[in-house]
Amino acid sequence: YYTNFVSSPEGYFHTVLCNTRHFRNTTVNHDLHYISWDNPPKQHPLSLSLKDFDKMRDSGAAFARKFKKDDPVLDMIDRDLLGREANRFTPGGWCVGSNEGGEDPCSLQGNSSILKSGKGAKRLEGLVLKLLSPELFRSNQCVF
């Protein structure tokens, strides 16, 4: 089946899990990606741009595709969603420095095993809770 499939990596694990008796009733058929598809026939994802930013952010999806190389929306994602400044690492729980005066908060590192959730984690939590809600869970499960 996947020999002639357009985007086989995107559907492979869902297919395996949905066809495994042990998992099929506990699997939500969602890959946590924000994708804007051509219409019809939904075979090729459209390139995301600045006009898609709000929908992408509001979807709560942890991942998105596809982007043109160096599209300005990538800088917006870095800056507005990841809190990353140009030529710096994305700050995480291990960054304990200050960004006052333009300093890099990651220049001072704390415990790298500490995980601090941010706004992105809250958006993802919202999506997961929605997918697992009693109103939507059954309709989002694998269908046979």
Side-chain angles (χ1 to χ4, degrees):
Y1 173 73
Y2 278 108
T3 300
N4 298 313
F5 196 75
V6 174
S7 298
S8 59
E10 293 174 353
Y12 177 78
F13 290 104
H14 293 84
T15 301
V16 170
L17 291 173
C18 286
N19 284 289
T20 303
R21 182 170 286 132
H22 181 74
F23 294 114
R24 79 171 54 139
N25 292 326
T26 61
T27 304
V28 175
N29 192 18
H30 195 292
D31 66 0
L32 305 180
H33 276 75
Y34 179 84
I35 302 173
S36 180
W37 291 100
D38 62 337
N39 189 15
K42 288 192 168 188
Q43 289 187 348
H44 302 285
L46 302 173
S47 293
L48 300 172
S49 66
L50 289 172
K51 70 178 176 50
D52 301 296
F53 180 81
D54 290 339
K55 291 183 284 186
M56 187 176 15
R57 179 200 57 224
D58 295 345
S59 75
F63 310 101
R65 70 174 293 249
K66 86 182 181 182
F67 300 97
K68 290 183 179 174
K69 184 178 180 175
D70 297 327
D71 193 286
V73 74
L74 297 170
D75 293 328
M76 190 174 212
I77 290 168
D78 280 348
R79 183 184 63 246
D80 296 355
L81 297 183
L82 301 177
R84 179 179 174 268
E85 294 184 33
N87 303 314
R88 293 192 176 168
F89 291 107
T90 300
W94 57 89
C95 298
V96 295
S98 170
N99 60 359
E100 290 182 24
E103 290 197 30
D104 184 355
C106 294
S107 62
L108 181 59
Q109 297 177 1
N111 187 342
S112 63
S113 64
I114 293 177
L115 180 64
K116 294 180 184 176
S117 59
K119 292 184 277 184
K122 290 294 182 190
R123 285 190 299 274
L124 179 58
E125 177 185 36
L127 174 61
V128 171
L129 290 174
K130 179 180 170 185
L131 293 171
L132 297 176
S133 71
E135 302 83 31
L136 293 177
F137 182 68
R138 292 286 177 221
S139 64
N140 282 323
Q141 279 186 296
C142 305
V143 179
F144 293 95

